[in-house]
Amino acid sequence: MNLKSAIPDAAPLVLSLRSVGYTLETAIADIVDNSITAKATEIHIDANWHENASFISIMDNGYGMNDDELHQAMKIGAKNPIMPRTHDDLGRFGMGLKTAAFSLCKRLTVGSKLLGESTICVRVWDIDNVVNSNKWELFDDSSTYAWKEAIRKFEGYNQGTIVVMEKLDRLITEKYSDQAVGRFWQRIADMERHLSMVFHRFLSGANPIQIFINGTKIEPWDPFMRNSFATQEFREEFVEMGDKNIRIHTFILPHHSKLSVKEYDEAGGASGWLEQQGFYVYRNKRLIVPGTWFKMLRKNEPGQLARIQMDLIGDMDFDWKIDVKKSSASPPAIVREKVRRIARIAQEASRKVYYYRGAVINQQVKIEDNDAIWEQASIRGRTFFRINRNHNLLKEACTALNADAAKKVNTFISLIEGFAPMNASLTGPVSSEATQDHELLESAVRFCNDLIEAGYSPCEALRKVLQISIYEGMDAAIKDRLKI
Ligand SMILES: Nc1ncnc2c1ncn2[C@@H]1O[C@H](COP(=O)(O)OP(=O)(O)OP(=O)(O)O)[C@@H](O)[C@H]1O
Ligand SMILES: [Mg+2]
């Protein structure tokens, strides 16, 4: 038995690689991945419209490559995918740079410079040349207008890499017209939106990187609205996968009545509220899937406030079937049940806020957590903090008291909750639904009675209860029940 070599022909392979399925935004994100891995702090993406001579460049100030490294980097399969990578490496397959670029353009030029070097090493893939020669041959320089323009901008850099894509035949498919130009810039705007989502964790935080598109800095888009007071946040959970952990953090976004029109539109993201619910799968902090229930649950209207941050590390790539484009992931069998449970709890919590009813939303998570001091509840669309009555210390102390004293402690805790600064300062819409909210009315009446029993006059008790933000506007209904 002999081994016969079967080297793939360059022309058909390079042409097939053009159809891996990237879009403009996923392609650019893949190239930006490389810049982030190279520790760039500044990345400039420039799109230039010149009809057939249009080009896009991506320039970074990362650690760059020497001539040999650049040559290797330009090979299809630059690195072995099964080799371990560090946890800040956004790459895996040794393909992204080429497959992303070829899906948009026929000419890819990469220049790179190491710190302390005066020369920039250059390699160029020109698909027309590969197809004509049927050989995997690269140029080591370029003299096109696009390259000259790009290199001019790169002059001030001590180190870094510049990627230039010309002959954008897959991006610019129309002849010149005002509409064609408009569509081009619309796609660039969509790309900006995508990058601000995919890289939001790099664009914010302690040492943020900066990404510019044609000179304008991209702002991060946080799917979890962490800056909004009304966002509800569950305790982080860890799902074991062998000797590694998947970190999961559930957020329930505010009811729409808590948001301005602008906030609501922005939070809807690129695909809208319905589509953007579910797990947000991050690989080494880079978002790869923006909202999925992994076919375990359906996306539905009441579930649209649930967004769950799920952190994977690069070592999990094969178990999670991460693809070359870094745009899909699928949970392995050993974690599916746990992931499904978390998904159900989040959808249910979202449903409660969506329907604007009072309910302790993270009850199920808190059940095992008797050590938490505060619990969050969503009441009339507002996040209300309650003291955990199941806290072991409180429970133990109350069992040592007689019934009357235990009741007084409970009433006093209700007062603390009602007048705690974070609850007292709650503002927002109070609809007439308030009086129809039976559960809430019952709790207000109970509270008044407890205060009366504790020695308050009915009028004082009512006044105290009405000062609590969640009971706002319920005076008539409470008076009616208390007959005062
Ligand atoms: N901007 C850059 N700065 C420094 N090195 C780079 C840069 N871009 C690419 N490289 C080098 O080129 C290699 C090949 O890049 P490419 O994107 O093709 O594959 P990868 O990042 O290793 O894996 P993946 O296919 O998953 O993206 C990288 O591993 C890196 O060593
Ligand atoms: Mg890469």
Side-chain angles (χ1 to χ4, degrees):
M1 189 167 60
N2 299 315
L3 284 172
K4 306 250 182 200
S5 81
I7 298 163
D9 285 340
L13 181 53
V14 82
L15 290 174
S16 303
L17 282 176
R18 305 200 69 194
S19 303
V20 173
Y22 284 93
T23 58
L24 170 67
E25 46 259 47
T26 56
I28 301 292
D30 224 340
I31 295 170
V32 170
D33 278 354
N34 292 339
S35 302
I36 294 176
T37 304
K39 303 270 178 268
T41 55
E42 234 184 81
I43 301 164
H44 286 266
I45 302 166
D46 287 310
N48 300 269
W49 167 267
H50 293 287
E51 230 174 308
N52 288 340
S54 298
F55 64 94
I56 295 178
S57 65
I58 296 141
M59 180 168 73
D60 71 55
N61 64 350
Y63 51 60
M65 292 172 270
N66 66 25
D67 198 77
D68 286 347
E69 287 164 341
L70 174 58
H71 191 82
Q72 182 63 24
M74 291 293 269
K75 288 185 187 168
I76 310 289
K79 288 186 179 168
N80 186 339
I82 61 169
M83 293 308 281
R85 301 233 189 177
T86 56
H87 288 171
D88 51 6
D89 191 332
L90 302 185
R92 164 59 63 199
F93 300 98
M95 302 281 283
L97 172 63
K98 289 75 57 176
T99 47
F102 293 165
S103 66
L104 300 174
C105 75
K106 290 209 281 183
R107 188 175 168 95
L108 163 69
T109 307
V110 182
S112 202
K113 187 160 100 171
L114 295 178
L115 188 65
E117 298 285 330
S118 54
T119 51
I120 299 172
C121 34
V122 181
R123 288 293 185 278
V124 187
W125 277 124
D126 192 314
I127 288 184
D128 289 330
N129 185 61
V130 174
V131 169
N132 288 337
S133 66
N134 200 21
K135 285 189 180 145
W136 294 109
E137 282 176 343
L138 290 154
F139 296 106
D140 65 359
D141 205 357
S142 176
S143 57
T144 62
Y145 167 76
W147 179 244
K148 282 184 191 148
E149 273 296 291
I151 211 87
R152 198 174 50 75
K153 289 191 191 144
F154 196 49
E155 255 159 24
Y157 279 66
N158 298 327
Q159 62 172 31
T161 300
I162 182 158
V163 174
V164 178
M165 292 182 275
E166 297 163 77
K167 302 193 197 172
L168 293 161
D169 63 330
R170 291 280 166 100
L171 182 63
I172 295 164
T173 50
E174 306 172 81
K175 287 207 176 335
Y176 175 81
S177 70
D178 286 347
Q179 288 88 337
V181 179
R183 275 190 281 272
F184 175 79
W185 291 114
Q186 183 54 52
R187 294 191 66 180
I188 301 297
D190 293 344
M191 173 186 87
E192 174 182 346
R193 206 167 190 180
H194 183 77
L195 299 182
S196 71
M197 170 177 79
V198 163
F199 297 111
H200 76 95
R201 288 168 76 181
F202 296 93
L203 297 170
S204 60
N207 294 306
I209 61 163
Q210 303 191 81
I211 303 181
F212 298 86
I213 298 182
N214 287 2
T216 306
K217 197 169 131 193
I218 303 184
E219 294 302 328
W221 181 77
D222 172 20
F224 310 111
M225 299 190 77
R226 270 173 256 238
N227 288 336
S228 169
F229 176 73
T231 296
Q232 306 184 23
E233 190 177 342
F234 283 23
R235 199 161 41 90
E236 274 187 347
E237 290 184 72
F238 293 89
V239 173
E240 271 179 39
M241 224 186 90
D243 58 344
K244 294 174 194 81
N245 279 322
I246 299 157
R247 203 164 63 139
I248 295 186
H249 200 168
T250 299
F251 294 84
I252 306 299
L253 270 57
H255 187 271
H256 65 81
S257 63
K258 301 283 289 174
L259 304 173
S260 66
V261 173
K262 186 166 172 278
E263 283 172 328
Y264 181 80
D265 276 352
E266 268 171 22
S271 312
W273 280 85
L274 186 68
E275 267 312 304
Q276 301 259 189
Q277 65 185 281
F279 289 96
Y280 282 66
V281 186
Y282 292 81
R283 175 184 181 275
N284 298 348
K285 279 170 59 188
R286 193 272 216 205
L287 182 60
I288 55 175
V289 188
T292 175
W293 294 120
F294 300 118
K295 297 191 179 144
M296 293 172 175
L297 303 177
R298 288 227 180 99
K299 288 185 173 171
N300 59 30
E301 285 283 330
Q304 64 178 268
L305 306 179
R307 296 185 186 173
I308 308 171
Q309 178 175 315
M310 174 182 256
D311 275 308
L312 308 182
I313 50 171
D315 300 355
M316 300 171 180
D317 285 347
F318 296 111
D319 291 323
W320 280 76
K321 300 194 186 73
I322 306 295
D323 66 329
V324 174
K325 300 194 298 288
K326 319 281 175 345
S327 58
S328 66
S330 168
I334 54 162
V335 299
R336 280 190 86 83
E337 258 330 293
K338 285 188 186 135
V339 170
R340 195 194 309 271
R341 181 184 63 84
I342 291 165
R344 282 217 192 93
I345 291 173
Q347 253 201 357
E348 176 57 17
S350 168
R351 198 182 62 80
K352 286 184 177 160
V353 177
Y354 183 84
Y355 286 124
Y356 209 65
R357 284 196 206 120
V360 176
I361 61 154
N362 44 1
Q363 211 169 30
Q364 298 180 55
V365 181
K366 294 288 181 194
I367 272 166
E368 315 117 47
D369 182 11
N370 283 343
D371 202 35
I373 311 296
W374 293 99
E375 285 178 346
Q376 291 180 40
S378 170
I379 299 176
R380 297 168 79 192
R382 293 166 171 186
T383 304
F384 188 80
F385 289 87
R386 283 177 176 158
I387 285 178
N388 174 16
R389 307 298 169 103
N390 287 322
H391 193 285
N392 288 334
L393 271 179
L394 182 62
K395 269 170 77 180
E396 275 171 33
C398 285
T399 46
L401 299 173
N402 65 34
D404 186 42
K407 198 158 187 197
K408 283 203 170 98
V409 168
N410 193 38
T411 307
F412 184 61
I413 291 174
S414 300
L415 281 172
I416 294 177
E417 291 167 344
F419 290 88
M422 68 276 199
N423 289 335
S425 61
L426 292 181
T427 52
V430 175
S431 69
S432 54
E433 284 167 37
T435 48
Q436 293 155 23
D437 195 331
H438 183 67
E439 229 175 279
L440 196 62
L441 179 61
E442 284 305 312
S443 95
V445 170
R446 231 178 5 253
F447 195 9
C448 273
N449 281 329
D450 288 346
L451 288 170
I452 294 166
E453 224 174 282
Y456 284 69
S457 73
C459 283
E460 277 170 336
L462 181 64
R463 199 168 50 83
K464 269 265 165 296
V465 168
L466 290 176
Q467 279 170 358
I468 296 171
S469 60
I470 50 169
Y471 301 127
E472 222 175 286
M474 299 181 91
D475 36 349
I478 302 172
K479 273 186 193 157
D480 186 48
R481 285 289 306 279
L482 291 175
K483 309 268 180 272
I484 48 175

